[in-house]
Amino acid sequence: MPTNTPTAGPGWKGFIFSGMDHQGEFRRAAVALGVSSDEISRFSQHLRLSIGLSVGGGSPVGQFGGLPRLPVGMTWPSAGDVPLPLLLSVDCGALPRVDGFALPADGTLLFFVNQELDCADSSGRYARVVYVPDGTETAVAEAPSSMRVREQLDVSAELGAELPLWLQEGDEDEDWHEFWEDLDWEDMSPFQQQLARYMERDLPHLDELRALAHDLWPSGAGVAIGGYADDEVINSIAEQTLAGREKAGEISAIPTAKWYSHVEKEKHRLTSEWISLVSEARVYEEYCTSFVIRHDDLAAARVDKALAVTNFEAP
């Protein structure tokens, strides 16, 4: 990619693709559309595959709710005297493999969260991720009497294609896209202008490539493992990171008028460092939780480093 392409940090880490040669499948289909090899490579750097989880369908890879199998002797995860309900558990060995997404090869990942309390408290204490390696002696945990257990539902997996927000196709319900399309050039920040030039110059077949990716991997599951971290979560991390650097004297104070542009660039950089571990689709009048983690922490199975953010979608 040209040096003036709007990337930063250690690369995009678009996790294409698994040992099933998803990369080759995409490239062959794109070449058949008449797209050049260089443009396919550029687009592929932004493309990530997520693992969508749906009730029923194929072979079970995990479950929503229910009771977890915890290591013998381990107490139910809690925040003080508040037990945390099990949101989801997955068998890592049964999930599709996606290169660049360093889920453990085996064992079980369990996600606990009290969504109501986590939504009201940004400390993260009301959410927990637990990894149980294969070979660990486990037992079905007994639920605390004060906690309501979610209904257990078996889930299956399918792959879905994801792109960063600025490359997604918008519709009438996506205000961000309307804003981007209607923005006059002189009203764009320098960074937005850089992105616009890149899309126009280096991705002339963006619409075709985007449609192809979603045709190959059309998962619309309500819960997904992997993919791009929620934009609001990354925005919050970017603002905290910049504020921390300012306070530490690592960077000069950012003028208020330029704050948004700096946050945009920082978000762009952070998309290469952070990944969605689990995310729930947003539904009106329901809580939804996103767990995000740095690539390096996931590769080292430091799942306790995951951050959780819960929102309530009001109509």
Side-chain angles (χ1 to χ4, degrees), residues 194-257:
Q194 194 178 6
L195 291 178
R197 289 193 191 97
Y198 170 63
M199 286 187 285
E200 182 177 356
R201 180 193 64 224
D202 293 334
L203 294 175
H205 297 89
L206 173 59
D207 290 343
E208 295 95 323
L209 292 170
R210 187 165 48 200
L212 173 60
H214 291 300
D215 284 345
L216 290 173
W217 303 292
S219 172
V223 176
I225 296 175
Y228 280 92
D230 183 87
D231 186 67
E232 289 186 14
V233 177
I234 290 296
N235 192 83
S236 177
I237 295 173
E239 290 187 332
Q240 293 176 35
T241 300
L242 288 175
R245 289 177 182 166
E246 277 188 328
K247 186 175 181 179
E250 296 176 6
I251 58 175
S252 301
I254 300 172
T256 302

Side-chain angles (χ1 to χ4, degrees):
M1 191 173 289
T3 56
N4 58 348
T5 299
T7 60
W12 284 89
K13 292 188 179 177
F15 32 110
I16 10 176
F17 294 94
S18 75
M20 296 180 66
D21 194 24
H22 295 112
Q23 183 177 23
E25 180 183 7
F26 181 78
R27 181 171 291 276
R28 287 188 293 272
V31 167
L33 293 176
V35 182
S36 72
S37 179
D38 286 346
E39 185 179 353
I40 295 169
S41 296
R42 286 192 292 269
F43 178 84
S44 295
Q45 291 186 63
H46 307 295
L47 178 63
R48 293 181 176 182
L49 297 185
S50 61
I51 303 168
L53 302 178
S54 303
V55 176
S59 301
V61 299
Q63 65 187 48
F64 295 143
L67 296 172
R69 293 193 67 91
L70 295 176
V72 172
M74 180 179 176
T75 58
W76 190 287
S78 64
D81 59 355
V82 179
L84 306 178
L86 177 66
L87 176 69
L88 166 71
S89 61
V90 289
D91 176 358
C92 295
L95 294 173
R97 307 313 299 175
V98 179
D99 284 348
F101 182 33
L103 278 176
D106 54 34
T108 304
L109 279 172
L110 305 107
F111 299 85
F112 297 85
V113 60
N114 184 310
Q115 291 184 304
E116 183 176 1
L117 294 178
D118 190 61
C119 184
D121 186 317
S122 60
S123 68
R125 64 191 299 259
Y126 293 106
R128 194 79 46 79
V129 183
V130 175
Y131 173 56
V132 181
D134 269 4
T136 304
E137 184 180 0
T138 62
V140 177
E142 182 177 345
S145 59
S146 60
M147 188 195 72
R148 182 179 68 85
V149 177
R150 301 170 185 263
E151 178 185 5
Q152 178 176 325
L153 300 169
D154 289 342
V155 295
S156 59
E158 61 178 342
L159 294 178
E162 292 195 16
L163 291 166
L165 191 63
W166 57 279
L167 277 180
Q168 292 177 21
E169 183 177 12
D171 57 35
E172 64 274 9
D173 296 323
E174 292 178 305
D175 293 337
W176 66 266
H177 188 83
E178 292 180 4
F179 168 79
W180 177 266
E181 290 292 323
D182 297 338
L183 198 62
D184 291 332
W185 181 263
E186 60 270 17
D187 293 329
M188 290 183 180
S189 70
F191 188 68
Q192 288 173 333
Q193 291 177 351
Q194 194 178 6
L195 291 178
R197 289 193 191 97
Y198 170 63
M199 286 187 285
E200 182 177 356
R201 180 193 64 224
D202 293 334
L203 294 175
H205 297 89
L206 173 59
D207 290 343
E208 295 95 323
L209 292 170
R210 187 165 48 200
L212 173 60
H214 291 300
D215 284 345
L216 290 173
W217 303 292
S219 172
V223 176
I225 296 175
Y228 280 92
D230 183 87
D231 186 67
E232 289 186 14
V233 177
I234 290 296
N235 192 83
S236 177
I237 295 173
E239 290 187 332
Q240 293 176 35
T241 300
L242 288 175
R245 289 177 182 166
E246 277 188 328
K247 186 175 181 179
E250 296 176 6
I251 58 175
S252 301
I254 300 172
T256 302
K258 296 185 177 181
W259 176 256
Y260 178 69
S261 181
H262 280 262
V263 170
E264 281 187 310
K265 292 181 71 172
E266 184 65 12
K267 284 170 61 177
H268 205 71
R269 184 185 70 82
L270 288 171
T271 57
S272 67
E273 293 184 7
W274 291 83
I275 187 173
S276 174
L277 190 51
V278 162
S279 62
E280 293 184 286
R282 300 191 175 198
V283 180
Y284 285 144
E285 297 188 343
E286 289 189 15
Y287 290 102
C288 57
T289 301
S290 293
F291 289 84
V292 300
I293 192 169
R294 284 189 172 90
H295 284 275
D296 293 345
D297 287 329
L298 180 59
R302 295 188 292 263
V303 295
D304 58 309
K305 300 292 187 181
L307 301 179
V309 177
T310 300
N311 293 295
F312 181 79
E313 291 299 302

